Amino acid sequence: MTPRRAAQTRRASLTDAGLYLAKAEEFMRAAEDSFELHNLIAAMGNAVHAGISAADAIASARGGSVWTGEHSQAAGHLERVAAADGRDAGRHLRRLLPLKSRTEYDPRPVTLSEASAAVEAARRTVAIAERVVSSTRAE
């Protein structure tokens, strides 16, 4: 790892992975509940945070570190430290991360299809995190 990348990560343990997973699952429930209520901005925002927390769970479990730098580069770190699981989750995370600023700062409304796609990307990322953390605990 280059010195610049090392400065943008911090160590994380398997215990941390479980805590990040719990956050991801809570955000995921909030995203799904918001979507069902047609609160589309909240659904998309919670989906983004579920994906970020799930990525941190995966990176903690597989690589012993989490990304602390610019969010747009988090998927690359995930792919570097978590092999195939990181590539799969990174693909979904790349769909979610550009939505972070939009849901938090942009006044434009969110469409049903945009919110649906975000919730699905988060759901897939959280599922990968659940599998990774579970299998790492079993090792």
Side-chain angles (χ1 to χ4, degrees):
M1 189 174 293
T2 66
R4 176 90 172 122
R5 282 194 186 136
Q8 295 180 331
T9 63
R10 73 171 168 69
R11 290 169 115 7
S13 67
L14 187 54
T15 299
D16 294 330
L19 296 171
Y20 282 120
L21 178 59
K23 282 178 64 170
E25 291 169 336
E26 185 173 332
F27 278 125
M28 191 70 245
R29 279 189 304 275
E32 291 170 336
D33 291 348
S34 295
F35 187 78
E36 286 180 28
L37 294 169
H38 290 272
N39 293 329
L40 303 180
I41 294 169
M44 197 154 78
N46 282 306
V48 170
H49 289 292
I52 292 169
S53 294
D56 287 342
I58 295 163
S60 296
R62 290 282 194 245
S65 67
V66 294
W67 185 252
T68 60
E70 181 64 35
H71 279 296
S72 64
Q73 299 171 15
H77 171 71
L78 183 60
E79 291 166 347
R80 282 189 295 280
V81 301
D85 293 318
R87 284 189 300 278
D88 290 344
R91 189 175 75 250
H92 303 300
L93 189 61
R94 279 193 171 84
R95 291 182 184 124
L96 292 167
L97 291 174
L99 305 174
K100 187 175 186 306
S101 290
R102 174 149 182 230
T103 59
E104 293 173 352
Y105 308 113
D106 193 325
R108 289 178 295 149
V110 170
T111 68
L112 185 65
S113 65
E114 290 169 327
S116 178
V119 170
E120 185 57 30
R123 190 177 290 124
R124 291 177 185 205
T125 309
V126 171
I128 294 166
E130 288 170 339
R131 183 176 40 78
V132 165
V133 171
S134 176
S135 69
T136 305
R137 286 178 177 158
E139 291 175 354

